[in-house]
Amino acid sequence: MADELPFEKPLNELQKKIEELKKFGQESGIDFSDEISRLEERCKTLQDELYNELTPAQKMHTARHHGRPTSLDFIGTIFTDFIELHGDRLFADDLAIVGGLAKLNGVPVTVIGHQRGKDTKDNIARFFGSPHPEGFRKALRLMQQANKFGRPIVTFIDTKGAYPGNTAEERGQSEAIARNLREMATFGVPIICVVIGEGGSGGALALGVGNRVLMLENAIYSAISPNGAASILWKDAGRADEAASVMKITAGDLLGFGIIEEIVAEPQGGAHRDLAAQAETIKEAVWRHLVELSGMSPEELITDRYNKFRKVGAYRSPEPAAPAVPVIEAESAQV
Amino acid sequence: MFKDLFHKKKYATIPSGQPRTKPEIPEGLMSKCPKCGSIQFSKEIEKNLKVCPSCGHHFRLSAWERIAITLDEGRITEFDADLSSEDPLGFPGYASKVEAQKKSSGLTDAVVTGEGTIGGMPVVAAFMSFDFFAGSMGSVVGEKITRAIEQAHAKRLPMIIFSTSSGARMQESILSLMQMAKTSAALGKFQGDGGLYISVITDPTTGGVSASFAMLGDFNLAEPGALVGFAGRVVIEQTIRQKLPDNFQTAEFNLQHGQLDKVVHRKEMKPLLIKLLDMHSAKGETINGG
């Protein structure tokens, strides 16, 4: 099975056996129904055991499954009347980010997402979903437009990271990301972000400063890809599975840190098993949060978003700050 | 053929009693410039603000060295000196590494923040230090910088950040990443309310720090030769399968591509900051002469 993930092998073998047995039963006329129902029972338990307790590495592989729905898949199923808009008005149209206007339950919204390719050719055109500065600037332009017209913003996060190339650096990759982070914090419209696949580093965060951040059950989100971390930590990118488990990249971990608000359940086996069902659960969650946020004034939305990110961090402050702040002099003799 | 065998040597060998002694140079007296390779008296380099007298290479400065040459009399009223890292992920080896870094650098984390004056004008400033955990940004760096920006906002003072960093601190993964959003959001509030923010980028500034507050200055300044970029050179070379030019991602490269306002020699930095601060202070002359 081409779609098979490595850890699904025992399950698929069992399913294959059941199929074979059914076929053999039909051909030979022998009744195997007892045997088959027993096997199917076992298959079901195995499935439950396997998918309910995925390890971080298994989730990472599921999030990277080549058949996993992309932003455009979800835009097409969750929204209606999508009008794709192009270009950053400065340099180019980066296909690694898509965006435009659409209706959610009849309400006009601006929707933006990272876009991986569906096949090799598409992937090359879209730089495997890794944006250049012009992609982030296109996203910013669309968000500014949404802010102007008071439209809510929905973003889909799905990237390994910003494109690491010389042209991206020349055109100011750092500046483009930084500006998005700052500007997203100042918009007076509701922003809801959904991590649908891989949330890799600053390139993901550049679409991720929202009032609400939701994550699909098997999606991952981290400062550096597990492969990158493994190559720094152990000089071996092949130990990504190991890195995945120490880096706390799953939706459950992030909910615990207070970085996301909600985990959106996936169909058993992953989002790629049932796009329609997955789209429905995302739609329900996004709409629910949007209804909640719609009662807030622009100022309240900005404050709500600021406070969400303001509180993130783990540090120790040994004593309550002493009243007198000491003046310290740097040893000017040193330099 | 055998002539050489019977050839009489024209010199006599003297057994060396003692191994040849190297000339005595006390540890630290001389320093070698990593760029031009010239060997100089360390004192000469230090007197020159740690800039190589022969090629102009800017040596890296620690936070306290930077404070000494930037703030008047090197005086700072430090903020949040007692904040220190936790190990939120339970990352293998992180807690002990932080302790080791504290010992070797004498800092509690990779940034010192506080209030001081430059040319007599009060400012809030943050000084990052590459000698602590490669200047990486974890929760403590993000929190101290955000608090400093909030102080500058509350006191209506200019904010200056001297950046140097390898990027987000991997050992705090997602929490480090969120510090980019936190610091940028604080700047959005401060700058949106008329606050002046000067970003001074020093060698090296990459990853999560360059892609957040370092690039968001009302003025983006950098020291000559400083490495400034988002992705690492090796990663880019692997992506594009080409060798990159030597000057790639230097301050000069960034200036040429429109990412910086100015590349400023260390000697000129404080005078320029004074000029900029002065031009944004209320005491200047007005058009109406009032």
Side-chain angles (χ1 to χ4, degrees), chain A residues 164 166 169-170 172 174 178 182 205 223 248 257 306 309-310 312-316 318 325 328-330 334-335, chain B residues 46 74-76 78 82-85 89 139 143 150 173 177 179 182 191 210-212 216 230-231 239 249 257:
Chain A
N166 55 337
E169 297 287 323
E170 284 166 4
S174 294
R182 182 177 66 187
L205 187 61
K248 305 281 190 288
F257 290 134
Y306 188 80
F309 287 89
R310 180 65 189 86
V312 178
Y315 46 84
R316 239 187 339 233
V325 193
I328 301 166
E329 288 183 31
Q334 254 186 4
V335 175
Chain B
E46 276 168 18
R75 284 165 66 94
I76 184 168
E78 201 182 343
D82 54 359
L83 282 200
S84 68
S85 286
L89 309 190
S139 298
E143 182 67 19
E150 288 172 342
S173 187
L177 186 71
Q179 305 308 312
K182 182 162 104 182
Q191 291 176 300
S210 81
S212 59
L216 292 175
F230 180 66
T239 310
Q249 291 181 324
H257 286 96

Side-chain angles (χ1 to χ4, degrees), chain A residues 69-298:
Chain A
T70 64
S71 293
L72 281 176
D73 293 325
F74 287 132
I75 291 172
T77 43
I78 295 172
F79 303 87
T80 56
D81 306 288
F82 177 55
I83 306 167
E84 188 175 354
L85 302 170
H86 293 274
D88 66 347
R89 298 295 183 275
L90 298 163
F91 182 76
D93 183 38
D94 184 354
L95 299 177
I97 287 185
V98 295
L101 303 183
K103 281 186 173 176
L104 179 62
N105 289 337
V107 177
V109 298
T110 287
V111 55
I112 301 166
H114 299 100
Q115 184 60 38
R116 289 179 289 111
K118 281 284 178 197
D119 49 46
T120 309
K121 201 177 151 200
D122 195 21
N123 255 323
I124 289 167
R126 298 187 186 277
F127 292 95
F128 294 81
S130 289
H132 280 69
E134 48 271 27
F136 298 120
R137 289 174 181 141
K138 168 164 81 174
L140 181 63
R141 184 178 76 79
L142 296 180
M143 288 191 277
Q144 284 167 334
Q145 189 189 62
N147 189 46
K148 175 181 171 184
F149 293 107
R151 273 196 295 271
I153 299 166
V154 178
T155 70
F156 292 117
I157 295 170
D158 186 17
T159 182
K160 290 189 189 309
Y163 185 73
N166 55 337
T167 49
E169 297 287 323
E170 284 166 4
R171 299 200 282 273
Q173 190 72 290
S174 294
E175 195 272 348
I177 294 170
R179 183 184 292 258
N180 277 21
L181 303 182
R182 182 177 66 187
E183 300 306 311
M184 279 186 91
T186 66
F187 294 141
V189 294
I191 304 178
I192 296 171
C193 312
V194 190
V195 187
I196 57 171
E198 207 172 344
S201 187
L205 187 61
L207 297 186
V209 186
N211 296 83
R212 301 281 192 273
V213 180
L214 320 180
M215 242 175 117
L216 296 197
E217 193 183 334
N218 295 319
I220 60 170
Y221 197 177
S222 59
I224 179 170
S225 77
N227 310 59
S231 67
I232 293 174
L233 283 171
W234 306 300
K235 311 257 175 282
D236 181 2
R239 288 167 74 180
D241 284 14
E242 220 174 313
S245 60
V246 298
M247 285 174 65
K248 305 281 190 288
I249 57 173
T250 66
D253 294 324
L254 269 66
L255 189 69
F257 290 134
I259 286 166
I260 63 166
E261 277 65 38
E262 185 175 332
I263 301 173
V264 180
E266 291 190 22
Q268 194 173 54
H272 59 282
R273 300 289 177 117
D274 192 343
L275 170 64
Q278 183 67 81
E280 202 45 53
T281 46
I282 296 176
K283 185 176 178 179
E284 184 277 320
V286 169
W287 181 251
R288 184 159 33 81
H289 286 284
L290 204 54
V291 169
E292 267 177 44
L293 293 170
S294 64
M296 291 189 189
S297 70

Side-chain angles (χ1 to χ4, degrees), chain B residues 23-54:
Chain B
E24 289 267 328
I25 302 174
E27 194 64 33
L29 179 72
M30 309 295 286
S31 295
K32 188 175 175 182
C33 172
K35 195 169 173 212
C36 69
S38 72
I39 292 166
Q40 320 261 357
F41 281 106
S42 302
K43 273 226 170 95
E44 283 297 313
I45 296 175
E46 276 168 18
K47 247 198 278 174
N48 203 30
L49 304 179
K50 284 210 167 178
V51 176
C52 172
S54 76

Side-chain angles (χ1 to χ4, degrees), chain B residues 152-259:
Chain B
H153 197 174
K155 296 181 173 175
R156 305 241 148 233
L157 293 177
M159 178 80 209
I160 305 178
I161 303 177
F162 289 81
S163 297
T164 174
S165 175
S166 56
R169 192 171 297 169
M170 193 174 57
Q171 290 83 350
E172 292 185 30
S173 187
I174 194 73
L175 294 173
S176 319
L177 186 71
M178 292 299 146
Q179 305 308 312
M180 294 167 65
K182 182 162 104 182
T183 51
S184 303
L187 280 174
K189 233 178 165 183
F190 172 64
Q191 291 176 300
D193 199 23
L196 165 66
Y197 165 42
I198 303 173
S199 171
V200 183
I201 301 169
T202 70
D203 183 61
T205 298
T206 58
V209 166
S210 81
S212 59
F213 55 83
M215 273 296 169
L216 292 175
D218 295 298
F219 303 94
N220 289 340
L221 313 175
E223 287 195 329
L227 175 76
V228 190
F230 180 66
R233 169 186 280 265
V234 179
V235 179
I236 297 173
E237 282 180 340
Q238 280 167 1
T239 310
I240 62 169
R241 294 171 200 284
Q242 275 172 38
K243 209 78 187 113
L244 292 161
D246 281 346
N247 76 339
F248 185 68
Q249 291 181 324
T250 57
E252 293 74 12
F253 170 93
N254 277 282
L255 181 76
Q256 195 192 348
H257 286 96
Q259 302 303 317

